[in-house]
């Protein structure tokens, strides 16, 4: 479903030097699986995720989603982010405070290129809100939601477009420990129920072990280890 092949990303820094943020990153993710990029701050997780989303243009390599080449340095292909059919949730999930729950979730449908009817929007939004267990809260002001509910609303907003790939960058990091624990299992359930192929970024090993089908352990821009949670746990 997702193939990242020998992907490198370099940034120039303020001193005119080169920062090798991602180096020779290669991995494949099968349809419906949850794949985690695990590692400390600065190891290149976000860079890898943003490259898959098309928010960064890699320096070299190849990115293929569902058989479609989204980026290839050799073939000089770069598909723009809005043409990629990929949903994203960042750690700093931005809920629109002046909109209610329904309008927050409907937002991507309203600004997209495809024009949906009122009925289509309603169907899609209610389905997405149901998936994250926010049914009945459609008309609530977004700012009146709890942290966990806002988090789920951000997720619903990514799901509403029914992307073939979902990218989650530390989506639980702004929650307190108790809520994080609960959301962890809700996320897993949701991902399994919907069968959405998901790339998950975290620095939290226990989170990675609990959620993932497969884990890539990253350090200084490299993938150091690739394996199932069991393999990673037993041979750290
Ligand atoms: P994370 O919390 O995942 O480590 P950061 O807070 O390091 O992410 O980075 C947040 C944003 O700032 C990202 O879009 C990243 O590309 C950008 N960024 C990170 N480091 C630098 C840097 N040295 N110079 C410019 N932008 C950076
Ligand atoms: P992580 O998500 O694992 O915290 P990042 O991918 O955000 O790591 O960053 C990897 C490295 O690349 C870091 O050294 C970071 O400072 C650097 N970096 C990230 N984005 C930029 C940018 N826009 N400009 C310059 N350096 C960056």
């Amino acid at each position: 479903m997702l193939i990242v092949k020998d992907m490198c990303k370099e940034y120039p820094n303020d001193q005119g030097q080169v920062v090798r943020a991602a180096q020779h990153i290669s991995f494949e993710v099968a349809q419906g699986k949850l794949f985690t990029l695990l590692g400390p701050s600065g190891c290149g997780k976000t860079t890898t995720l943003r490259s898959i989303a098309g928010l960064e243009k890699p320096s070299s390599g190849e990115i293929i989603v569902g058989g479609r080449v989204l980026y290839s340095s050799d073939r000089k292909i770069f598909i723009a982010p809005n043409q990629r059919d990929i949903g994203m949730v960042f750690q700093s999930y931005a809920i629109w405070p002046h909109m209610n729950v329904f309008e927050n979730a409907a937002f991507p449908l309203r600004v997209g290129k495809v024009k949906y009817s009122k009925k289509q929007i309603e169907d899609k939004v209610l389905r997405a809100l149901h998936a994250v267990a926010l049914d009945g809260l459609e008309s609530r002001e977004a700012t009146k939601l709890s942290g966990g509910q806002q988090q789920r609303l951000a997720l619903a907003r990514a799901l509403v477009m029914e992307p073939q790939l979902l990218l989650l960058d530390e989506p639980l990091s702004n929650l307190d420990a108790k809520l994080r624990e609960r959301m962890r299992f809700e996320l897993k359930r949701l991902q399994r129920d919907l069968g959405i192929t998901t790339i998950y970024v975290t620095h939290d090993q226990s989170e990675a072990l609990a959620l993932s089908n497969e884990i890539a352990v990253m350090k200084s821009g490299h993938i150091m280890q690739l394996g199932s949670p069991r393999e990673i746990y037993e041979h750290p």
Side-chain angles (χ1 to χ4, degrees), residues 11 13-14 19 41-42 45-47 50 56 91 169-170 201:
Y11 295 106
N13 74 1
D14 303 338
V19 178
S41 180
K45 307 181 297 294
T46 301
T47 297
R50 288 172 60 84
E56 300 285 352
Q91 50 185 302
D169 191 352
E170 306 252 8
V201 159

Side-chain angles (χ1 to χ4, degrees), residues 7-132:
M7 200 263 299
C8 299
K9 174 66 183 175
E10 297 169 353
Y11 295 106
N13 74 1
D14 303 338
Q15 285 82 47
Q17 296 153 325
V18 169
V19 178
R20 296 197 167 82
Q23 300 193 59
H24 306 288
I25 300 297
S26 295
F27 60 88
E28 295 189 15
V29 184
Q31 173 68 42
K33 299 295 183 195
L34 192 149
F35 183 93
T36 296
L37 298 168
L38 169 69
S41 180
C43 73
K45 307 181 297 294
T46 301
T47 297
T48 303
L49 207 66
R50 288 172 60 84
S51 298
I52 296 169
L55 300 172
E56 300 285 352
K57 189 172 183 177
S59 311
S60 60
E62 212 163 44
I63 296 170
I64 302 167
V65 173
R68 181 166 171 238
V69 179
L70 299 185
Y71 171 75
S72 168
S73 48
D74 287 351
R75 293 157 68 183
K76 305 219 181 318
I77 294 172
F78 179 79
I79 307 291
N82 63 344
Q83 307 289 326
R84 288 194 179 201
D85 194 13
I86 291 175
M88 258 195 114
V89 180
F90 298 93
Q91 50 185 302
S92 53
Y93 51 90
I95 295 297
W96 311 115
H98 54 286
M99 292 184 196
N100 66 21
V101 168
F102 184 96
E103 285 307 322
N104 263 281
F107 188 74
L109 296 168
R110 297 207 196 281
V111 299
K113 265 201 321 219
V114 181
K115 291 288 163 243
Y116 296 101
S117 71
K118 201 167 168 244
K119 175 88 174 72
Q120 282 173 317
I121 290 177
E122 196 171 305
D123 285 350
K124 285 175 184 292
V125 168
L126 293 183
R127 209 179 319 143
L129 290 176
H130 178 68
V132 300

Side-chain angles (χ1 to χ4, degrees), residues 135-192:
D135 330 61
L137 296 180
E138 292 83 9
S139 56
R140 182 155 312 179
E141 229 178 279
T143 47
K144 297 264 161 66
L145 298 178
S146 70
Q149 287 172 330
Q150 290 192 16
Q151 185 66 67
R152 280 182 279 159
L153 179 54
L155 198 55
R157 201 172 48 189
L159 293 173
V160 79
M161 298 299 281
E162 298 171 41
Q164 56 177 171
L165 187 62
L166 185 63
L167 308 179
L168 304 176
D169 191 352
E170 306 252 8
L172 308 184
S173 62
N174 286 339
L175 305 178
D176 66 51
K178 211 169 140 197
L179 194 54
R180 197 156 61 222
E181 184 85 0
R182 213 181 72 213
M183 281 300 295
R184 181 189 286 184
F185 290 104
E186 283 196 33
L187 250 181
K188 181 66 190 167
R189 176 187 54 75
L190 184 69
Q191 188 268 339
R192 204 168 34 208

